[in-house]
Amino acid sequence: MNILIYSLIAAALLPYLAKIPVAIAMNKLGGYDNHHPREQQANLKGFGARALAAHQNAFESLIVFAAAILLAIATGTVSGTIDLLAILHVGFRVAYHILYLLNIGVLRSVCWTVAIGCSFVIMAQCIVS
């Protein structure tokens, strides 16, 4: 169960780590506007816009992954397979973010699909067990 908990903690940190490139892009856009950050973010282009999209997607992914992990823990569906799926999810989410920043769309989409697939397979394992 420790792997599941550590994976959930890592996934919970990803959106906040993903904010770093957004903040850098905002700072290059006339300095970080802490009074109106969302307005400034709406004006980001290129790298900054991709960084923002990746940051937002990290939160979206976290919701599904957290539900999957909590479901696995609550139902006692803890196994090596579930652990592996959790680790794969986090790894593919990190790769997804890097590929988003580098503007490598097809591989990014593959990583997204594998990561979200891991979450849904975890949920399915809870039903089957």
Side-chain angles (χ1 to χ4, degrees), residues 54-101:
H55 166 65
Q56 292 168 337
N57 187 268
F59 280 112
E60 296 163 3
S61 176
L62 176 60
I63 294 167
V64 177
F65 182 67
I69 295 302
L70 295 175
L71 181 63
I73 291 170
T75 61
T77 312
V78 179
S79 67
T81 301
I82 301 290
D83 288 346
L84 177 61
L85 289 165
I87 292 167
L88 286 172
H89 172 87
V90 172
F92 275 95
R93 286 302 306 175
V94 169
Y96 168 88
H97 188 78
I98 292 167
L99 292 168
Y100 214 143
L101 294 176

Side-chain angles (χ1 to χ4, degrees), residues 1 5-6 27 29 41 43 46 49-50 53 56-57 67 70 72 94 101 103 112 118 123 125:
M1 187 177 338
I5 293 169
Y6 292 135
N27 193 49
L29 190 65
Q41 289 169 359
N43 293 318
R50 291 192 309 276
Q56 292 168 337
N57 187 268
L70 295 175
V94 169
L101 294 176
N103 201 21
W112 180 90
C118 287
M123 291 180 195
Q125 291 289 313

